[in-house]
Amino acid sequence: LWHTRNYFMFSFWNAGIRFTDLAFLRWENIVDGRLVYEMGKNRKQKNIKLLPQALEILKHYKSDDRNGFIFPILPQQEMTEFGYRKKAASKNVIINRHLKEIANKAGIQMNVSFHISRHSFARWADNSDAMDRKTIMNALAHSKMSTTERYLDSFNEYRLDEGMRKLAESRNKG
C-alpha cells in the first residue's frame, strides 16, 4: 500500500502520468531536475520540472537496482517490450485493487483507480490560480481543449455538491 500511495502521488505531482508510463520510467528519464520521457499512448514527449514532493518520493527508490527502472513494478529480468507491457497491465490491476483498499481505509466512497491521478491533477490545477486551462491541456498532453474540458466538466457535480453544502451551512448559521 505504501508503494501504491507513492506511485499515485508521483503521478499526481507529474501532471497525472499514466500507470504504464510510470512503470517504464528509468533513472535516465531524470535530467537536470526534470522528468523527460515519451508517453506510450500518443508518443508525445513530456518534460516536467520535478517538484519537491516528487523528488521526496524518488528518494525512497534511488538505492535499489531494478535494471534502471525507478519503481519496483516491472520484473528485473530482461524481457521483450511486449512482455514488459503485459506485466505492466497486470500490475495496474493490482495497483488499482490497492488504491480501492486505501480509499476504503480513508473512508472515500468514490471509485478510485490510478487514472484518477490525472483527473485529480487537472481538477487541482483548474481550481488553483497557477494554471489556466490551456496550460492544463498542455500538462496533460491533450491535443484538443475539448478533451481537457471533458476532464474538468466531469467535476461539476462535485462543485455543485460543495456549493450546496456551503449554502446549507450558511442557512443554518442565519
Side-chain angles (χ1 to χ4, degrees):
L1 295 182
W2 181 81
H3 287 295
T4 297
R5 176 232 173 250
N6 286 344
Y7 304 157
F8 188 89
M9 293 309 300
F10 188 83
S11 172
F12 174 86
W13 289 116
N14 288 284
I17 249 184
R18 289 180 181 90
F19 182 79
T20 302
D21 292 336
L22 179 107
F24 276 87
L25 288 179
R26 294 179 179 270
W27 287 107
E28 64 200 43
N29 294 115
I30 309 293
V31 180
D32 296 328
R34 303 185 72 80
L35 180 62
V36 181
Y37 70 101
E38 182 180 273
M39 297 173 69
K41 181 177 180 179
N42 55 22
R43 299 294 177 214
K44 290 182 180 179
Q45 292 293 315
K46 292 287 291 210
N47 187 326
I48 302 170
K49 179 174 178 51
L50 288 165
L51 298 175
Q53 296 88 337
L55 290 168
E56 189 62 34
I57 291 167
L58 288 177
K59 286 180 188 178
H60 298 288
Y61 297 95
K62 187 64 179 161
S63 63
D64 296 339
D65 179 29
R66 288 177 286 281
N67 290 348
F69 292 118
I70 294 174
F71 298 106
I73 297 169
L74 298 175
Q76 291 186 352
Q77 76 255 27
E78 290 296 322
M79 300 177 78
T80 64
E81 175 86 7
F82 177 76
Y84 277 132
R85 292 214 173 271
K86 196 170 173 184
K87 285 287 186 190
S90 67
K91 287 287 190 166
N92 192 17
V93 171
I94 293 166
I95 294 302
N96 283 336
R97 278 190 211 128
H98 290 167
L99 284 170
K100 286 176 186 10
E101 186 177 341
I102 291 168
N104 286 336
K105 287 182 178 194
I108 297 170
Q109 301 298 315
M110 68 179 284
N111 186 23
V112 178
S113 69
F114 199 84
H115 194 73
I116 294 294
S117 67
R118 286 179 67 75
H119 290 267
S120 298
F121 167 79
R123 182 179 183 200
W124 174 69
D126 191 44
N127 286 331
S128 75
D129 291 330
M131 289 189 184
D132 60 25
R133 288 196 167 190
K134 177 125 175 80
T135 305
I136 295 168
M137 179 187 91
N138 291 333
L140 296 170
H142 288 157
S143 298
K144 299 177 185 174
M145 179 57 78
S146 61
T147 305
T148 303
E149 289 185 349
R150 272 197 317 272
Y151 261 57
L152 298 173
D153 289 344
S154 69
F155 293 112
N156 283 345
E157 66 189 52
Y158 299 113
R159 289 190 185 134
L160 175 60
D161 291 349
E162 182 63 13
M164 295 297 284
R165 185 189 63 75
K166 286 180 180 178
L167 184 62
E169 285 177 0
S170 70
R171 176 72 176 124
N172 290 338
K173 290 178 186 175

